[in-house]
Amino acid sequence: DLAFLAYYVIVFCFIRQGLTFYVLRPLAWKLGIKKEAKLERFAEQGYAIIYFSVSGTLGLWAMYHSPTWFFQGRHYFQDYPYWKMTKFMKSYYLLQFSYWLQQFLILVLRVEKPRKDFTELVIHHIVTLWLIGWSYLINLTPIGNAVFITMDVSDIFLALAKSLNYLKLETASTVAFGWFVCVWSYTRHYLNFCILWNVYNDFELVPKWAQQWAPETGAWLAPWMKWQIFAPLVLLQGVNLFWYFLIWRILIRALFKKELADERSDDEDDGEPEDENDKDD
């Protein structure tokens, strides 16, 4: 598994760079984006749309073929442990792990220009990796997949709204952002609070024989593990609520001031002057 993770961290680096330089940046240029900072940001969001569309679809597919469809939280625990994983589920889970590990490395190595919420992003990525690693180790992957879906689906709409904003399609960007707020509210808050409720209320549904720390049997859910699961989910929700405040502030400004911008980002142009050749286009 560790070799798989290391290999696909590298693979994701190549995929991202290939899409950025051969697809997304040329597309942005043809669509009228000329400044380097915005080309880079458009490529980031384009890659996010592609990745989260694929991962979100795969996550929903995995959930559809499990007892937890659609967020049937009791099954996270009453069918525990999920000792045997299908090849599809194992590959999907480890690929998600590889993606988030790669994103974390990009963040902490500052490969991309840090945003204003750099600290919150670091916390988010650490908690995400914590949840992925623990849920995989203790055979509780269905709850991990549920969290994946709530994050991935909402991020598609965020990346789409930002991409449209970079293209200066103001009406389309505002509409997309409005849809994003609805999806984010439902997935990152309502569904995540449901997951928190399931952890708090349904943990005792774990079969009695599995309520022990016995890795050799596939059972890891001793009673104190309830809080090991609950705590990072609360921390993740705290970061989401911080972003939710920023999201509503952006939406209100878009509605009343007709200005849509990502408050998490520094000035996209970085004071970069227009290229003289751009003025002739």
Side-chain angles (χ1 to χ4, degrees), residues 55-72:
S55 63
T57 301
L58 293 177
L60 286 168
W61 178 262
M63 181 182 279
Y64 180 75
H65 290 86
S66 76
T68 61
W69 179 262
F70 181 81
F71 295 91
Q72 297 295 315

Side-chain angles (χ1 to χ4, degrees), residues 244-255:
Y244 199 45
F245 167 75
L246 296 182
I247 287 166
W248 274 103
R249 193 160 66 177
I250 293 168
L251 182 61
I252 291 171
R253 188 171 61 194
L255 292 174

Side-chain angles (χ1 to χ4, degrees), residues 34-233:
K34 305 301 182 183
K35 294 184 178 181
E36 181 62 29
K38 287 191 176 182
L39 284 169
E40 189 65 29
R41 292 301 194 200
F42 181 89
E44 290 175 17
Q45 300 310 314
Y47 178 71
I49 292 171
I50 294 169
Y51 179 81
F52 291 125
S53 295
V54 173
S55 63
T57 301
L58 293 177
L60 286 168
W61 178 262
M63 181 182 279
Y64 180 75
H65 290 86
S66 76
T68 61
W69 179 262
F70 181 81
F71 295 91
Q72 297 295 315
R74 292 171 61 88
H75 290 282
Y76 302 147
F77 300 105
Q78 69 182 24
D79 298 332
Y80 180 83
Y82 292 88
W83 179 261
K84 295 182 180 179
M85 298 177 68
T86 63
K87 289 183 179 180
F88 172 82
M89 185 64 174
K90 183 180 179 72
S91 299
Y92 160 75
Y93 219 81
L94 290 177
L95 284 171
Q96 284 275 51
F97 203 160
S98 300
Y99 170 82
W100 284 105
L101 181 57
Q102 185 239 10
Q103 291 295 103
F104 177 71
L105 293 174
I106 288 175
L107 190 66
V108 296
L109 295 176
R110 297 176 183 261
V111 175
E112 297 173 353
K113 180 184 176 182
R115 299 179 185 274
K116 292 178 180 178
D117 62 344
F118 176 80
T119 300
E120 289 78 14
L121 277 170
V122 171
I123 294 171
H124 173 271
H125 284 36
I126 290 174
V127 173
T128 300
L129 290 170
W130 176 6
L131 285 168
I132 298 171
W134 264 111
S135 59
Y136 183 77
L137 177 66
I138 66 177
N139 302 314
L140 197 57
T141 49
I143 197 170
N145 184 43
V147 175
F148 280 146
I149 293 170
T150 63
M151 293 196 298
D152 293 354
V153 172
S154 59
D155 279 343
I156 297 170
F157 290 87
L158 174 61
L160 176 62
K162 293 176 72 172
S163 297
L164 292 171
N165 190 46
Y166 293 141
L167 294 173
K168 297 183 179 180
L169 300 173
E170 296 181 2
T171 301
S173 178
T174 301
V175 171
F177 193 80
W179 276 106
F180 157 70
V181 174
C182 295
V183 174
W184 176 286
S185 300
Y186 178 69
T187 58
R188 292 241 183 173
H189 298 294
Y190 174 74
L191 288 179
N192 269 279
F193 276 117
C194 288
I195 294 171
L196 279 167
W197 172 255
N198 292 137
V199 175
Y200 182 80
N201 194 60
D202 297 334
F203 186 87
E204 285 70 23
L205 296 177
V206 174
K208 293 297 182 183
W209 72 267
Q211 295 182 16
Q212 58 177 326
W213 184 273
E216 67 280 0
T217 67
W220 298 72
L221 294 189
W224 59 270
M225 281 295 292
K226 175 178 182 176
W227 306 110
Q228 171 65 31
I229 301 167
F230 192 79
L233 288 172

Side-chain angles (χ1 to χ4, degrees), residues 21 25 29 33-43 268-270 272-273 278:
F21 287 104
R25 286 176 65 96
W29 184 271
I33 299 176
K34 305 301 182 183
K35 294 184 178 181
E36 181 62 29
K38 287 191 176 182
L39 284 169
E40 189 65 29
R41 292 301 194 200
F42 181 89
E268 299 287 1
D269 295 340
D270 297 329
E272 182 182 328
D278 295 345

